[in-house]
């Protein structure tokens, strides 16, 4: 007997049915906005992540040397891969480029609620537009995906911030501040005590008094005050943030957005608007998902300057939110028809099963030479809505029996007329 690896999960059919429904809902929302599905490799060169994040990232990867002596890693995120893909065909791709995919990723990190070492995520990205409408469309798609799942404005909120506001404010202090470290401190601000938070800002180069002033400033979130304090660059970022929120309002996502400058997103490649989705009730403490603008990444991969913005929707944390709100799909099997055979009736039963499947139904039939009772038990176990009994005696009378599994009622139908031109024939059609 082998144990499953820590941080990896098995999904049995009932669970997978619910997951598939959620993934399909999210992907359908993306398709309505014109996002086109791509496929990406599960392995990339380790150096790609080292160049982006530094040597220390290797400790978080499933990285190894392959048989050809290449240092490779299981992909921990999608953004570097899609950046590489854009660079490879940049001149041939029509702009804006709008891509979506759902797939697994791997990180060797501490397992906790909503976080696993193998995790599944839907990513949607727009390349080639720096306009506020691109950021707003990402927010609108994400909002539509959630509301399509049955969530409402009472269930979730998008906390929207701007990295250039944070960076500009930090640079406005008379201090030798390491902006990236300070922004990572902001990203941790809601997870640590204030004294520790101020200590992290001080470690990044602010004095304690400056750290306290900076923390108070972004917690108040008064954009006019912030624009006045930070000068021209911060005022420009404030204007951009307001433009994105105005566009999000026009696109139908404004009701889900609130300004939260303590939202920072820890990755260094973010350059403009960033956001995270949270459970409005606070029952799910972690961010459900997040995203933002990363205008410099394509160029850093050797491509032409190309603005970009995207979102990554994690399946595990989305499941926590949906379960809390009571909209996670039922984890159960669904079967439209079970075609039950009694005696030597395989040829007729197979024809009926084929006709029902051709109409788009989910149909099962006996493949184990089981008894009548065993077949009925199996039909019940797979939640068959209707059982079509094809028995030798019924066929002698030119009939089959139709049984409604919810009520237990049954009737007969002429075998030559079943299913006929009915796409989804039921007991009621023949009673």
């Amino acid at each position: 007997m082998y144990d499953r690896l820590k941080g990896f999960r098995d999904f049995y059919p009932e669970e997978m049915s619910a997951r598939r429904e959620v993934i399909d809902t999210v992907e359908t929302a993306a398709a309505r906005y014109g996002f086109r599905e791509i496929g990406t490799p599960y392995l990339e060169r380790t150096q790609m992540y080292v160049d982006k994040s530094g040597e220390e990232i290797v400790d978080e990867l499933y990285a190894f040397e392959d048989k050809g002596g290449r240092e490779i890693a299981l992909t921990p995120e999608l953004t570097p891969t899609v950046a590489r893909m854009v660079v490879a065909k940049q001149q041939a791709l029509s702009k804006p480029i709008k891509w979506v995919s759902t797939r697994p990723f791997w990180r060797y990190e501490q397992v906790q609620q909503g976080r696993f070492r193998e995790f599944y995520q839907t990513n949607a990205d727009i390349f080639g537009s720096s306009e506020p409408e691109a950021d707003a469309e990402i927010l609108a798609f994400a909002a539509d995906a959630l509301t399509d799942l049955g969530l409402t404005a009472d269930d979730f909120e998008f906390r929207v911030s701007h990295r250039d506001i944070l960076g500009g404010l930090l640079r406005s202090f008379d201090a030798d501040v390491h902006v990236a470290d300070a922004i990572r401190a902001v990203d941790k601000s809601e997870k640590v005590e204030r004294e520790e938070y101020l200590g992290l800002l001080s470690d990044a180069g602010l004095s304690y008094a400056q750290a306290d002033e900076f923390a108070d400033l972004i917690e108040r979130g008064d954009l006019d005050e912030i624009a006045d304090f930070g000068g021209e660059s911060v005022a420009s970022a404030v204007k951009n943030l307001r433009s994105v929120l105005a566009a999000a309002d026009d696109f139908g996502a404004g009701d889900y957005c609130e300004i939260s400058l303590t939202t920072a997103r820890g990755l260094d490649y973010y350059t403009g608007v960033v956001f995270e989705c949270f459970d409005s009730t606070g029952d799910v403490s972690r961010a459900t998902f997040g995203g933002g603008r990363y205008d410099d990444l394509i160029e850093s991969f050797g491509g032409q300057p190309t603005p970009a913005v995207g979102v990554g929707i994690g399946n595990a944390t989305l499941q926590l939110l949906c379960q809390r709100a009571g909209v996670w799909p039922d984890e159960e099997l669904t079967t439209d028809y079970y075609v039950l055979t009694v005696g030597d009736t395989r040829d007729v039963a197979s024809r009926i099963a084929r006709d029902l499947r051709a109409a788009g139904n989910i149909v099962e039939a006996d493949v184990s030479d089981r008894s009548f009772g065993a077949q009925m038990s199996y039909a019940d176990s797979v939640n068959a809505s209707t059982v079509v009994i094809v028995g030798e005696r019924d066929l002698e009378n030119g009939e089959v029996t139709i049984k409604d599994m919810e009520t237990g009622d049954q009737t007969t139908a002429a075998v030559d007329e079943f299913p006929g031109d009915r796409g989804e024939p039921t007991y009621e059609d023949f009673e």
Side-chain angles (χ1 to χ4, degrees):
M1 192 68 187
Y2 297 99
D3 295 330
R4 188 182 63 217
L5 290 173
K6 182 178 181 180
F8 292 73
R9 294 171 292 167
D10 299 317
F11 300 107
Y12 288 88
E14 293 83 356
E15 300 167 273
M16 200 62 213
S17 174
R19 284 169 52 81
R20 171 50 55 197
E21 184 175 336
V22 168
I23 291 169
D24 287 349
T25 298
V26 173
E27 291 182 336
T28 298
R32 292 201 302 268
Y33 282 83
F35 288 93
R36 313 297 178 175
E37 186 177 15
I38 59 170
T40 57
Y42 290 179
L43 291 171
E44 293 279 10
R45 295 181 185 275
T46 304
Q47 193 63 40
M48 186 166 73
Y49 304 107
V50 172
D51 289 346
K52 184 177 73 70
S53 303
E55 288 287 348
E56 62 274 9
I57 192 65
V58 177
D59 292 336
E60 301 176 19
L61 303 179
Y62 280 89
F64 55 95
E65 182 181 299
D66 72 4
K67 293 181 179 180
R70 293 170 289 264
E71 294 295 332
I72 59 176
L74 288 168
T75 50
E77 58 172 314
L78 190 66
T79 307
T81 294
V82 292
R84 175 183 59 72
M85 291 173 65
V86 169
V87 171
K89 292 193 173 183
Q90 191 162 22
Q91 301 305 317
L93 296 169
S94 297
K95 313 296 189 301
I97 304 160
K98 299 170 69 173
W99 287 346
V100 65
S101 70
T102 301
R103 47 152 297 179
F105 299 92
W106 299 266
R107 281 184 180 270
Y108 193 85
E109 58 185 359
Q110 185 63 40
V111 178
Q112 52 187 282
Q113 184 191 45
R115 177 174 291 180
F116 300 90
R117 290 175 176 172
E118 180 180 60
F119 56 97
Y120 294 77
Q121 192 165 290
T122 298
N123 292 273
D125 297 274
I126 300 175
F127 302 92
S129 174
S130 59
E131 296 302 313
E133 287 81 1
D135 305 65
E137 187 166 278
I138 289 290
L139 290 165
F141 147 64
D144 279 3
L146 296 186
T147 55
D148 288 351
L149 288 169
L151 296 161
T152 71
D154 294 330
D155 294 316
F156 68 92
E157 61 190 21
F158 294 154
R159 299 179 187 175
V160 187
S161 184
H162 202 293
R163 288 285 288 259
D164 292 343
I165 292 177
L166 297 176
L169 285 175
L170 289 163
R171 293 184 187 94
S172 69
F173 286 95
D174 184 18
D176 184 17
V177 60
H178 192 285
V179 172
D181 288 347
I183 289 179
R184 279 192 286 271
V186 174
D187 188 51
K188 297 177 182 177
S189 61
E190 295 188 4
K191 305 180 183 73
V192 299
E193 296 295 327
R194 184 175 175 86
E195 288 302 311
E196 183 179 350
Y197 170 38
L198 297 181
L200 292 171
L201 290 173
S202 297
D203 291 342
L206 296 177
S207 69
Y208 190 88
Q210 289 171 333
D212 193 49
E213 184 177 11
F214 170 76
D216 286 343
L217 193 62
I218 64 173
E219 285 167 11
R220 287 195 297 271
D222 184 324
L223 293 183
D224 290 331
E225 177 188 17
I226 285 168
D228 290 340
F229 185 95
E232 185 176 346
S233 66
V234 173
S236 177
V238 165
K239 181 180 179 181
N240 177 250
L241 176 57
R242 283 175 163 155
S243 296
V244 169
L245 292 173
D249 195 46
D250 289 340
F251 291 0
D255 290 344
Y256 310 108
C257 298
E258 66 172 35
I259 296 171
S260 173
L261 296 182
T262 56
T263 297
R265 304 291 287 160
L267 295 173
D268 292 344
Y269 56 68
Y270 285 114
T271 58
V273 164
V274 292
F275 74 94
E276 291 181 337
C277 174
F278 276 88
D279 174 7
S280 297
T281 69
D283 289 348
V284 181
S285 57
R286 295 187 58 230
T288 303
F289 57 80
R293 181 162 285 280
Y294 51 101
D295 286 345
D296 300 334
L297 190 62
I298 302 299
E299 189 174 4
S300 74
F301 273 59
Q304 296 298 314
T306 304
V309 60
V311 62
I313 302 177
N315 184 272
T317 47
L318 180 58
Q319 180 174 347
L320 293 176
L321 174 60
C322 289
Q323 288 175 332
R324 195 280 304 157
V327 299
W328 184 253
D330 292 335
E331 294 186 354
E332 62 181 16
L333 304 179
T334 58
T335 306
D336 297 319
Y337 298 92
Y338 184 86
V339 180
L340 187 153
T341 56
V342 181
D344 186 15
T345 61
R346 186 181 68 186
D347 56 341
V348 177
S350 297
R351 190 272 301 168
I352 290 172
R354 290 197 308 273
D355 289 349
L356 289 169
R357 288 179 183 132
N361 298 296
I362 300 172
V363 184
E364 288 209 50
D366 183 43
V367 294
S368 301
D369 193 26
R370 289 172 292 195
S371 67
F372 179 93
Q375 289 184 69
M376 286 298 296
S377 294
Y378 180 80
D380 187 56
S381 75
V382 296
N383 292 324
S385 297
T386 301
V387 170
V388 182
I389 303 171
V390 185
E392 289 178 328
R393 291 184 181 180
D394 279 346
L395 290 184
E396 289 175 0
N397 298 322
E399 299 174 334
V400 292
T401 297
I402 314 301
K403 182 179 180 68
D404 185 301
M405 291 295 282
E406 183 177 358
T407 65
D409 295 332
Q410 64 183 48
T411 188
T412 58
V415 65
D416 292 339
E417 297 177 8
F418 188 88
D421 58 2
R422 302 175 185 87
E424 300 176 11
T426 63
Y427 163 83
E428 285 80 8
D429 294 324
F430 302 97
E431 64 175 332

